[in-house]
Amino acid sequence: MEALIPVINKLQDVFNTVGADIIQLPQIVVVGTQSSGKSSVLESLVGRDILPRGTGIVTRRPLILQLVHIDSEDCRKTSDENGIDGEEWGKFLHTKSKIYTDFEEIRQEVEAETERISGNNKGISDEPIHLKIFSPHVVNLTLVDLPGITKVPVGDQPKDIELQIKDLIFKYISNPNSIILAVTAANTDMATSEALKVAREFDPDGRRTLAVVTKLDLMDAGTDAMDVLMGRVIPVKLGIIGVVNRSQLDINQKKLVADAARDEYAFLQKKYPSLANRNGTKHLARTLNRLLMHHIRDCLPELKTRINVLASQYQSLLNGYGEPVDDKSSTLLQLITKFAAEYCHTIEGTAKYIETTELCGGARICYIFHETFGRTLESVDPLGGLTTIDVLTAIRNATGPRPALFVPEVSFELLVKRQVKRLEDPSLRCVELVHEEMQRIIQHCSNYSTQELLRFPKLHDAIVEVVTSLLRKRLPVTNEMVHNLVAIELAYINTKHPDFADACGLMNNNIEEQRRNRMRDLPSAVPRDKAVAGGSQSGNVGEPTDGGTGNWRGMLKKGEDGPAGDKAMLQHPLPASPHKGRAVNLLDVPVPVSRRLSAREQRDCEVIERLIKSYFLIVRKNIQDSVPKAVMHFLVNHVKDCLQSELVGQLYKAGLLDDLLTESEDMAQRRTEAADMLKALQKASQVIAEIRETHLW
């Protein structure tokens, strides 16, 4: 299982090549306050002086430090192959293949690289420095050294330096695959440890936090860290390990790390003999190595899944970017053909990408026809905007100066045409809605179906313009046809229509039944033949007593004035008669605007209203059926049939090839980045597959 850490180092190298941190790899994040001894702990683990030293904030960029253990034999072999003088060396990511055998030069490069990005004003940066150390004296570890937590800005530091540092720390310790190494100096109160406080914010259960107590030799005389190291002050699940750092005097006098390790062991044996084997730098290195290996083993299944998912996503992204164009003529024709096909498929409901959030394409057109348009027509009242007075006025105007024996047919035609005309606006609105949906399909195909068009913005704009122009040309043609459909209905009122004739017959029977009911309700003292005769006198003399049920005039039956209760709706009474004996100018007598309707007038109005309603329903049914058919033929199907030929005719021209197939400025760069990332993910997947084959996982 020891080989798991080098595997993670390989994965880190793979993703470093593309400069991506989309995969959260297992690593140890070192957190502590400024001058708490973080850098000294790292140098103790390396066994070399590699980090900048000084007062105030020294670590100003994240340092990702990979320790790679190599055997002495492998070390000699690698040294001979690369011409390296020594058994230890280091490599920076930013210096590519350059090998450093002088660790003083490594320290200077860390300082120079820090100042190159962060400047000289003690500011910080979140761009990491990657350093890899190869040595037979280290254990396999991946550590991240972060700037120390500070409270007060110093010198030219920004006022929010504390917030910047904490945000940087949170970025690394929020990684669920990281182990938090919380460093606290022994000569401070453990209960006020900023490192443990920050760690608990992202690891409240303490499952991935290990505490390190530094500077055990600098505690006040008469005190010790026994209770702290035993976990009696603040318990830490993964443990608390105490270490002794080199003092500043030791560093100035170039005291070797190996000598410092021997002095540390001697101090622990003298001061904490019962805990000596569970503390110190060597025990810390072994503990970190063990924790990291177990942590990697637990994280690998999820890591593998994450890599596979990302590989699939980047493959799809790269497919969307497409390959560089070699044959422009063929590419243009393919894109045009594919767009036209996807446009038609969206209308037919066979598109590859089905919208799940809203109706789209043919489904929306169907909804417009049968829900929007259908319900709108059904909501139109056959007698809407038509009053009884309007009907009576139309009847009188159609008779001229002579009283009519029958209801004039002209009044019916005049009124029914007025009502049928109201169906034209909803029909034209139906055309408009379908046209809008046909326009929306263009954007749908661009977004979901033909992502290749995003590579060529000029071609995309040209296709949109051609399709929009085609739809615009078909709109007036379709509107004209729909207008003609209504005009056709207005041109000839077919009173011989079978449905209309049946309705007339049914109304005849209803009126006859009502007359018989009134006769049945007459007092028994009045002879029925007298009542009929009286009814004839009060009605139209000479009017036929019966009519053919197939003729709508047959609905005009003999009526009777009847009592006042049988009159029409109550209207304003006529003005009083002038006084008897006075001369009257008839032109001065006001004509009554409204009055009671006689039984004859009421019956005539009811007949006309029923006829209008019956015929209107027939026409509405015809319009509801014919308008969608006209829209489909003149607009939808025509565009489907002519779209590809229109696109080819307008765009497939030699003079337009170079301009239309010009990629967006950043497309080539994004294609390269996606290809590099996909290659890195595939390589990472192979590395994890090797783990399974070697039974390391």
Side-chain angles (χ1 to χ4, degrees):
M1 195 165 66
E2 178 72 22
L4 286 176
I5 297 178
V7 168
I8 293 299
N9 290 340
K10 286 183 181 180
L11 293 178
Q12 185 70 59
D13 293 341
V14 168
F15 293 115
N16 285 344
T17 59
V18 292
D21 56 356
I22 58 174
I23 296 292
Q24 296 179 318
L25 297 173
Q27 56 192 5
I28 299 170
V29 182
V30 185
V31 179
T33 57
Q34 187 174 296
S35 302
S36 61
K38 297 186 293 79
S39 298
S40 296
V41 171
L42 291 177
E43 288 184 335
S44 299
L45 295 173
V46 177
R48 291 281 193 159
D49 294 330
I50 60 171
L51 300 176
R53 291 287 183 172
T55 58
I57 183 169
V58 178
T59 304
R60 296 186 287 127
R61 288 179 61 184
L63 174 65
I64 299 179
L65 178 62
Q66 292 176 266
L67 304 182
V68 182
H69 175 81
I70 55 175
D71 297 332
S72 299
E73 183 178 348
D74 293 336
C75 180
R76 287 192 299 270
K77 183 178 178 181
T78 306
S79 299
D80 294 339
E81 291 176 353
N82 296 277
I84 301 173
D85 184 15
E87 61 179 5
E88 297 177 298
W89 65 88
K91 293 174 66 175
F92 286 97
L93 177 64
H94 63 273
T95 59
K96 306 301 180 184
S97 59
K98 183 177 179 180
I99 297 176
Y100 296 81
T101 56
D102 185 354
F103 282 82
E104 177 62 23
E105 189 179 358
I106 291 177
R107 185 183 64 79
Q108 293 174 358
E109 181 61 30
V110 172
E111 289 182 346
E113 182 64 13
T114 299
E115 292 184 358
R116 186 178 69 85
I117 300 297
S118 302
N120 301 319
N121 63 346
K122 299 297 183 181
I124 67 169
S125 170
D126 62 351
E127 185 176 341
I129 299 174
H130 293 267
L131 173 60
K132 185 180 291 187
I133 300 295
F134 299 85
S135 171
H137 309 299
V138 299
V139 295
N140 291 310
L141 288 175
T142 300
L143 305 110
V144 181
D145 187 22
L146 297 174
I149 302 171
T150 185
K151 294 292 184 181
V152 181
V154 177
D156 296 332
Q157 288 181 343
K159 294 181 179 180
D160 63 340
I161 186 67
E162 179 186 4
L163 182 60
Q164 289 186 25
I165 292 175
K166 284 191 174 182
D167 288 343
L168 181 58
I169 293 173
F170 292 165
K171 176 183 176 181
Y172 281 89
I173 66 176
S174 61
N175 173 10
N177 296 332
S178 66
I179 294 176
I180 305 172
L181 189 65
V183 179
T184 303
N187 55 1
T188 61
D189 189 353
M190 191 75 168
T192 61
S193 171
E194 282 288 334
L196 288 175
K197 177 184 176 183
V198 169
R200 284 188 174 180
E201 290 187 34
F202 290 90
D203 182 32
D205 297 332
R207 294 180 179 178
R208 53 187 183 93
T209 300
L210 175 68
V212 175
V213 179
T214 62
K215 304 181 181 181
L216 290 176
D217 56 333
L218 298 182
M219 297 187 68
D220 293 339
T223 62
D224 59 36
M226 185 64 73
D227 290 340
V228 172
L229 297 176
M230 295 293 291
R232 296 168 183 164
V233 178
I234 295 180
V236 180
K237 284 187 178 181
L238 295 185
I240 302 174
I241 299 176
V243 297
V244 177
N245 305 107
R246 289 180 298 168
S247 65
Q248 190 62 44
L249 179 61
D250 294 335
I251 296 172
N252 294 338
Q253 293 178 351
K254 305 295 183 182
K255 184 176 181 178
L256 297 177
V257 176
D259 295 337
R262 286 193 295 269
D263 293 343
E264 178 190 48
Y265 181 74
F267 174 83
L268 291 173
Q269 287 290 348
K270 178 181 178 181
K271 189 71 175 178
Y272 305 97
S274 61
L275 301 177
N277 293 332
R278 289 183 288 169
N279 292 277
T281 303
K282 288 186 178 181
H283 179 71
L284 175 62
R286 290 193 299 268
T287 301
L288 290 175
N289 179 264
R290 174 177 54 82
L291 290 175
L292 186 58
M293 283 191 300
H294 286 285
H295 198 60
I296 291 172
R297 183 191 60 189
D298 296 338
C299 295
L300 275 179
E302 182 180 351
L303 193 62
K304 178 179 181 294
T305 302
R306 173 67 174 163
I307 289 175
N308 291 338
V309 170
L310 285 174
S312 176
Q313 292 175 352
Y314 273 92
Q315 182 65 62
S316 300
L317 186 63
L318 191 60
N319 293 339
Y321 292 153
E323 297 295 331
V325 179
D326 295 327
D327 187 350
K328 292 187 176 181
S329 178
S330 174
T331 300
L332 178 60
L333 188 59
Q334 288 176 2
L335 290 175
I336 289 176
T337 302
K338 185 172 183 179
F339 178 88
E342 290 295 337
Y343 191 92
C344 296
H345 290 333
T346 303
I347 294 176
E348 295 166 358
T350 57
K352 180 179 179 181
Y353 298 91
I354 300 296
E355 182 66 59
T356 58
T357 58
E358 63 178 353
L359 292 179
C360 177
R364 191 173 184 86
I365 293 174
C366 179
Y367 183 87
I368 292 171
F369 286 157
H370 302 290
E371 298 295 331
T372 306
F373 177 60
R375 290 182 179 179
T376 300
L377 289 188
E378 290 174 1
S379 67
V380 178
D381 183 5
L383 301 176
L386 195 64
T387 65
T388 304
I389 294 299
D390 294 337
V391 176
L392 182 61
T393 302
I395 294 174
R396 288 188 167 186
N397 286 337
T399 59
R402 298 175 303 279
L405 295 176
F406 307 102
V407 177
E409 190 171 343
V410 176
S411 61
F412 163 70
E413 290 195 7
L414 175 67
L415 294 174
V416 81
K417 286 181 179 181
R418 170 179 164 180
Q419 298 306 102
V420 169
K421 183 69 175 176
R422 297 168 59 214
L423 299 176
E424 184 173 2
D425 287 342
S427 301
L428 294 176
R429 177 58 180 162
C430 176
V431 178
E432 183 180 350
L433 290 176
V434 174
H435 177 267
E436 291 175 358
E437 180 57 27
M438 299 282 284
Q439 194 73 35
R440 287 178 68 247
I441 296 176
I442 303 175
Q443 191 63 37
H444 173 82
C445 293
S446 301
N447 291 342
Y448 299 99
S449 304
T450 54
Q451 295 184 1
E452 295 94 332
L453 285 178
L454 300 179
R455 295 175 56 192
F456 312 108
K458 291 185 178 180
L459 176 59
H460 175 267
D461 294 342
I463 289 178
V464 171
E465 178 60 31
V466 171
V467 181
T468 302
S469 177
L470 179 59
L471 290 172
R472 193 184 303 118
K473 287 190 297 185
R474 297 306 303 173
L475 183 59
V477 177
T478 309
N479 282 336
E480 181 66 20
M481 182 60 199
V482 170
H483 173 77
N484 287 337
L485 288 176
V486 178
I488 289 170
E489 295 291 346
L490 296 175
Y492 180 66
I493 305 301
N494 183 17
T495 56
K496 288 294 185 178
H497 191 285
D499 294 342
F500 187 66
D502 292 344
C504 292
L506 182 61
M507 282 187 283
N508 281 340
N509 295 335
N510 290 340
I511 293 175
E512 179 64 22
E513 182 67 23
Q514 292 175 5
R515 189 184 69 83
R516 291 174 179 172
N517 291 339
R518 286 197 298 270
M519 293 292 293
R520 190 181 301 112
D521 294 338
L522 288 176
S524 57
V526 181
R528 293 188 180 273
D529 55 345
K530 297 294 185 180
V532 171
S536 299
Q537 295 296 326
S538 63
N540 292 326
V541 178
E543 182 175 338
T545 60
D546 195 4
T549 58
N551 189 341
W552 65 272
R553 288 191 180 88
M555 288 187 294
L556 302 179
K557 299 296 182 179
K558 291 180 291 182
E560 53 252 316
D561 292 338
D566 292 334
K567 300 295 182 181
M569 60 180 182
L570 182 64
Q571 305 288 347
H572 295 293
L574 293 173
S577 301
H579 294 293
K580 188 175 181 180
R582 293 180 57 185
V584 177
N585 185 353
L586 293 178
L587 296 179
D588 292 337
V589 178
V591 178
V593 178
S594 57
R595 58 177 178 77
R596 288 183 184 274
L597 298 183
S598 66
R600 164 72 183 276
E601 292 171 337
Q602 181 182 358
R603 186 176 65 250
D604 290 349
C605 290
E606 289 178 355
V607 168
I608 291 294
E609 288 175 354
R610 292 182 182 181
L611 290 173
I612 291 173
K613 183 175 181 180
S614 175
Y615 196 83
F616 181 87
L617 295 179
I618 295 172
V619 175
R620 186 174 72 183
K621 182 179 179 181
N622 294 341
I623 294 296
Q624 191 169 354
D625 178 65
S626 59
V627 167
K629 293 179 179 178
V631 174
M632 286 299 297
H633 177 73
F634 287 93
L635 181 61
V636 180
N637 290 342
H638 187 278
V639 171
K640 283 172 51 183
D641 297 339
C642 301
L643 180 59
Q644 181 167 352
S645 60
E646 188 76 13
L647 289 171
V648 172
Q650 295 288 337
L651 303 179
Y652 192 63
K653 299 176 182 179
L656 299 177
L657 286 178
D658 293 337
D659 186 52
L660 292 178
L661 294 182
T662 301
E663 287 188 321
S664 58
E665 296 178 358
D666 59 341
M667 181 58 67
Q669 179 182 352
R670 285 189 289 174
R671 184 190 298 112
T672 301
E673 292 176 352
D676 292 343
M677 180 58 69
L678 179 61
K679 185 177 179 180
L681 290 167
Q682 290 173 342
K683 189 173 181 180
S685 182
Q686 292 176 359
V687 171
I688 294 181
E690 292 174 1
I691 301 176
R692 283 186 173 275
E693 293 175 1
T694 54
H695 305 288
L696 294 175
W697 177 11

